[in-house]
Amino acid sequence: MANIIVFAILAVVILGSAIMCVTTKRIMRAATFLLFVLFGIAGIYFLLDYTFLGAAQISVYAGGVTMIYVFAINLVSKQTLRGLVERMKGSRVVFGALMCLIGLATVVVVFLKNEFINKFAVLTDTELSMKAIGESLVGAEKYGYVLPFEFISVFLLACIIGGIVISRKE
């Protein structure tokens, strides 16, 4: 019962922060709300007893990615951000809502077509070990993610070096 209450609290924090992240007009507040979303997701990992994934979520995403966003925001000149005013047009809101509905319909069709719910009911008896998750995440075999992880790390390093080069030109 306590797990359900904690999950409900985390879900409210994640959804509320995500909505505030995309609706706020101040960019630093958006980065702060993004940080809350990432901490909430880490909380769900800890709730599921996936401590490695929770720690990775906090260190990589909440720590690293959010700091990169904050540094990028601070590197942009205040004169560039001063004239930036976002106006909500009715046509854009309708288009965004239509795209959201199309995305929702696509997800529902995929779930119903592949019978994920029935397969999930069968899989609830077996628990996936943390060792299996770790081996699949950093494995080099057919469905391993070590190569995309390395590409992303090199890309983030290039972004950091590019940010330093841009900031040193002044």
Side-chain angles (χ1 to χ4, degrees):
M1 183 66 181
N3 286 343
I4 295 173
I5 294 171
V6 172
F7 176 77
I9 292 170
L10 287 172
V12 167
V13 167
I14 290 170
L15 290 174
S17 297
I19 290 170
M20 291 301 294
C21 180
V22 297
T23 58
T24 186
K25 291 184 179 183
R26 296 184 179 253
I27 195 161
M28 288 301 285
R29 287 184 184 171
T32 305
F33 286 125
L34 176 67
L35 182 66
F36 290 146
V37 169
L38 296 173
F39 274 130
I41 293 171
I44 288 179
Y45 287 143
F46 286 125
L47 187 65
L48 293 171
D49 288 332
Y50 290 148
T51 54
F52 173 74
L53 288 178
Q57 176 76 19
I58 289 175
S59 65
V60 173
Y61 292 107
V65 174
T66 305
M67 287 303 112
I68 289 173
Y69 285 152
V70 170
F71 287 142
I73 290 166
N74 288 329
L75 286 176
V76 175
S77 67
K78 291 186 178 185
Q79 294 172 351
T80 305
L81 293 176
R82 203 173 281 156
L84 188 64
V85 176
E86 193 68 31
R87 290 188 175 79
M88 299 290 277
K89 293 182 180 178
S91 62
R92 293 179 88 186
V93 171
V94 170
F95 180 72
L98 182 65
M99 288 291 115
C100 287
L101 288 175
I102 290 171
L104 178 66
T106 304
V107 169
V108 168
V109 166
V110 167
F111 268 117
L112 294 177
K113 182 179 177 186
N114 293 321
E115 300 176 359
F116 283 130
I117 296 171
N118 295 336
K119 291 177 184 177
F120 180 72
V122 172
L123 290 176
T124 55
D125 297 336
T126 62
E127 186 172 324
L128 193 59
S129 69
M130 199 62 205
K131 183 179 178 182
I133 292 173
E135 287 174 355
S136 67
L137 283 177
V138 294
E141 60 272 356
K142 185 175 180 181
Y143 294 109
Y145 288 104
V146 71
L147 189 62
F149 179 75
E150 290 299 324
F151 280 136
I152 290 172
S153 65
V154 170
F155 176 71
L156 288 175
L157 179 64
C159 290
I160 291 170
I161 292 171
I164 291 170
V165 168
I166 290 172
S167 67
R168 290 288 184 191
K169 283 189 177 181
E170 293 179 0

